[in-house]
Amino acid sequence: MLRQYELVEKIKRYDPDADEAMINRAYVFSVQKHGSQKRASGDPYFSHPIEVAGILTDFYMDDKTIVTALLHDTIEDTLVTYEEIESLFGEEVGRLVDGVTKLSKIEAQSENERAAENLRKFLLAMSDDIRVLLVKLADRLHNMRTLHFIANPDKRRRIARETMEIYAPLAERIGMYDFMHEMQLLSFRELEPEAYDSITRRLESLKEGGGDKVARIASGLQLLLGSAGLKVTVSGREKHPYSIWRKMQERHISFEQLTDVMAFRVITANTDDCYRALGIIHGRYKMVPGRFKDYISTPKRNGYRSLHTTVIHGENARIEVQIRSAEMHRESEFGLAAHWAYKTGGVASPDGQAGWLRDLIEILDQSHDAEELLEHTRLAMYQDRIFAFTPKGELHQLPKGSTPVDFAYAIHTSLGDQTVGAKVNGRVVPLRTVLENGDQVEILKSEGQEPQPGWLTFAVTAKARAAIRRYIRHKQRDETVALGEKLYEDIVQRLPVEVGDKAVKAALKRLKLEDRAALMIAIATHRVTDGEVMEALIPGSTESEGVDPSGQHKPVSIRGLTPGIAYHLGDCCHPVPGDRIVGIRQTGEPIEVHTIDCLALETGQDADWVDLAWDSRSKGGTARLQVIVKNQPGALAAVANIFGVNKANILNLQLVNREGPFHTDIIDLEVADAQHLMRIVSALRALDFVAQADRV
């Protein structure tokens, strides 16, 4: 543990103007307030905040950040208050300590909810001042270093998993790679102990079998570049066990099949020398195709710059070489901390390297629950990146597997919402097209467009998925309320007297519902029955003569409501406008719409039925046909011609059976209404090629 004078001396070495008195006060305050508290290791508790402060001095952090590290657990674990911190150490330190503090011992029902709530508070605190993240990462790193002292294995695994899934990616996103690698290594050792031991033993055996191979190769690279007149520093190491294990998992290969287990770093004087060094290395050794990455011309989103290449070395080994200038190396070592070092007097802003943080904060507002928040955050932090350009040449980084929808939302949420199509490299493509590195993407938009639920099947970025889900939730609520209003109108018509606002307010109290919208949602999703609504509005009304709670006066129109949002069209009968339809209400679910002759209705005799009707202006639906076609050349073309002549679009065609001279096809068609469909069926039946055509 660092002693008081040792900590002060470390800070003074890089920041002679640091507030020594404040640091000393914070050191003593932390020791006194934590008093006799012990850690799981048996060490005094105050050793932890002091070690966290020591970690941050290695990154040349300003004095207020160091003081925050010393005090970061006092509010949570002692009787100290925020006001006390603020009065003794100032408003800025008070705010930072408050941001780092776990504000409450969250009583969540599940591990995911607890993790999500911690993450939510954490990200919001980070958005005010990124130093909160720096202190928290140092805090988590020291906790991981002492994780083995915790006796409960389940608790160790929970902490390790949270570190692997949240804190290590956060460290990577702000360019603090040493933090990331150590967190991953310590988490990996806890989560996969057998794999960790196996890989570690094999790395040790490689050293023993081949002597110091890493040193020999590093020396050779140094000599090669030096002889060309470059002043460079070359260092090498075996790759981290976790990095090796992850590659083995991704490529489904054994350790013996993994060829590039060594990595080398070349530090040059300037950017020009980086490219000169690359040319010399490629001129001497064969490059492995597809393994070169230029993060200098197109830096990573966290600001990381370097050249990465993999070559076949003379000792029949694939080696990875990273080439960067001394300035780039400093930034990669310190990451975002470099912007907060004492010299810069940084500003409390999430700009610069942490621009991605704004997207995470937006995702916080759009996430519906704990599971969704964690999913979106992991998506935003974890994925490998590609680069794509707008027609004006603006660069956007996206996760691998991204589509034009993801690209549109990366530019702006409103553009994503209004997307109707896209051009990639000048060609119109489907929205589900996966983008490649270097693609030029032009988004086609329309003010009348809205996000489509189907986009969730191919959108991969957290920002896009969060925005689409948020829109669907809002639309689902609005349309469910609208459907509830229509059902409510039918209910009140069956009452013996008119219903006013006073009766509605009384009904809300009796049903324990918040407002009128909540009542409409409860009616539409069958959380309350028609009889319960009638009784709540006018007590005793269902006992009146002539009042039938289950009866209805007229069909309820579903005009203006979106299939799949306020109601679902039955997959068994595929109703289209013009069909006679009924709805089945099940508690907590959207109404399911069926044709009046659907066989599924026979199994739902006890369900609550709603008489429904299409509006006269309702157009467009999906119908399913079963067509038995003669197995002859030109038969399918004749069938397709019928669809074309009748302006019906084929959505799906599946051959389900081939028997003798016939084959049976199931065809999903986009039609205007039931009459349109019947004209198509009649035309099919008239074809010599068609033995039978029926609606499914």
Side-chain angles (χ1 to χ4, degrees), residues 101 135 168 215 237 247 259 261 269 302 368 484 489 491 518 530 633:
T101 299
V135 176
R237 57 170 175 78
K247 284 193 176 180
T259 51
V261 296
N302 60 18
H368 178 56
E489 288 175 12
I491 291 171
D530 292 1

Side-chain angles (χ1 to χ4, degrees), residues 57-325:
T57 61
D58 294 334
F59 289 86
Y60 301 163
M61 294 306 298
D62 65 300
D63 50 12
K64 290 184 174 63
T65 307
I66 303 301
V67 168
T68 300
L70 290 169
L71 303 173
H72 77 272
D73 275 338
T74 52
I75 295 178
E76 181 188 6
D77 294 332
T78 74
L79 298 176
V80 173
T81 63
Y82 166 78
E83 290 73 21
E84 192 175 353
I85 295 287
E86 188 179 42
S87 65
L88 290 171
F89 300 98
E91 181 182 349
E92 186 175 353
V93 170
R95 178 171 49 79
L96 288 171
V97 173
D98 190 46
V100 179
T101 299
K102 302 178 185 74
L103 294 173
S104 61
K105 292 181 172 61
I106 297 155
E107 297 175 1
Q109 295 300 311
S110 72
E111 182 178 313
N112 269 357
E113 286 175 358
R114 182 173 60 249
E117 187 58 26
N118 274 325
L119 183 62
R120 185 186 298 275
K121 292 179 179 179
F122 185 28
L123 293 175
L124 288 172
M126 281 164 49
S127 67
D128 292 331
D129 197 317
I130 202 67
R131 288 176 293 179
V132 170
L133 172 57
L134 301 177
V135 176
K136 186 62 181 175
L137 288 176
D139 170 53
R140 178 52 66 115
L141 179 58
H142 185 254
N143 281 334
M144 288 302 298
R145 289 174 179 175
T146 57
L147 184 67
H148 57 283
F149 289 113
I150 295 176
N152 186 333
D154 291 337
K155 185 176 181 181
R156 289 200 308 269
R157 290 180 64 81
R158 178 182 64 77
I159 294 170
R161 192 176 299 110
E162 189 177 66
T163 302
M164 185 72 86
E165 293 182 351
I166 294 175
Y167 292 97
L170 277 170
E172 189 272 337
R173 273 291 174 263
I174 61 170
M176 299 182 76
Y177 289 96
D178 283 349
F179 270 38
M180 178 192 75
H181 288 312
E182 189 173 354
M183 285 180 181
Q184 287 177 338
L185 186 67
L186 295 169
S187 300
F188 177 51
R189 185 171 68 183
E190 182 61 44
L191 295 171
E192 302 286 347
E194 292 181 6
Y196 173 85
D197 290 340
S198 174
I199 293 173
T200 304
R201 283 197 305 271
R202 293 184 183 203
L203 288 173
E204 290 296 328
S205 67
L206 282 180
K207 287 181 186 176
E208 294 168 3
D212 199 345
K213 193 174 184 179
V214 172
R216 286 203 311 274
I217 295 175
S219 178
L221 288 172
Q222 181 94 41
L223 189 63
L224 173 68
L225 296 170
S227 63
L230 287 178
K231 292 183 178 179
V232 299
T233 303
V234 181
S235 59
R237 57 170 175 78
E238 286 95 1
K239 289 191 174 178
H240 295 282
Y242 173 69
S243 174
I244 292 172
W245 180 78
R246 190 167 63 178
K247 284 193 176 180
M248 290 166 59
Q249 297 296 307
E250 288 173 354
R251 300 180 190 175
H252 304 288
I253 57 177
S254 66
F255 184 88
E256 288 75 19
Q257 293 171 298
L258 195 68
T259 51
D260 51 342
V261 296
M262 290 177 287
F264 297 86
R265 186 173 293 149
V266 177
I267 310 298
T268 68
N270 52 54
T271 302
D272 288 345
D273 284 354
C274 291
Y275 289 101
R276 284 185 61 202
L278 176 71
I280 293 165
I281 291 171
H282 280 184
R284 174 66 178 82
Y285 305 112
K286 288 184 178 179
M287 185 194 79
V288 177
R291 296 299 303 276
F292 170 65
K293 294 175 182 175
D294 186 346
Y295 293 122
I296 294 179
S297 64
T298 52
K300 288 187 178 182
R301 199 170 181 191
N302 60 18
Y304 176 83
R305 294 181 297 157
S306 185
L307 300 175
H308 288 199
T309 187
T310 300
V311 297
I312 309 291
H313 191 264
E315 299 196 23
N316 290 325
R318 290 207 319 182
I319 62 170
E320 182 181 290
V321 184
Q322 300 173 0
I323 308 169
R324 63 183 71 145
S325 70

Side-chain angles (χ1 to χ4, degrees), residues 452-583:
Q452 303 300 305
W455 291 356
L456 286 173
T457 62
F458 55 80
V460 300
T461 61
K463 186 174 182 181
R465 294 181 69 81
I468 296 165
R469 281 174 170 166
R470 184 186 190 188
Y471 173 82
I472 291 171
R473 280 197 303 273
H474 287 183
K475 189 174 181 66
Q476 189 171 37
R477 175 182 168 81
D478 293 344
E479 294 205 356
T480 304
V481 168
L483 179 58
E485 289 280 5
K486 293 179 179 183
L487 295 169
Y488 173 78
E489 288 175 12
D490 186 76
I491 291 171
V492 297
Q493 284 181 2
R494 284 178 262 148
L495 289 169
V497 295
E498 288 189 10
V499 174
D501 291 340
K502 189 175 179 181
V504 174
K505 289 179 181 177
L508 292 175
K509 286 184 180 179
R510 293 184 184 111
L511 294 171
K512 297 180 181 178
L513 294 171
E514 186 177 344
D515 52 25
R516 184 184 177 96
L519 173 61
M520 301 310 150
I521 291 171
I523 292 171
T525 57
H526 205 232
R527 287 194 172 92
V528 293
T529 65
D530 292 1
E532 287 170 339
V533 175
M534 296 168 83
E535 276 296 311
L537 289 167
I538 303 177
S541 60
T542 57
E543 298 171 8
S544 303
E545 188 175 343
V547 175
D548 181 6
S550 61
Q552 285 190 296
H553 287 163
K554 63 177 182 178
V556 174
S557 169
I558 55 175
R559 173 178 173 265
L561 303 179
T562 309
I565 299 290
Y567 63 90
H568 292 305
L569 295 173
D571 289 332
C572 41
C573 54
H574 296 275
V576 296
D579 286 331
R580 178 78 173 85
I581 52 174
V582 295

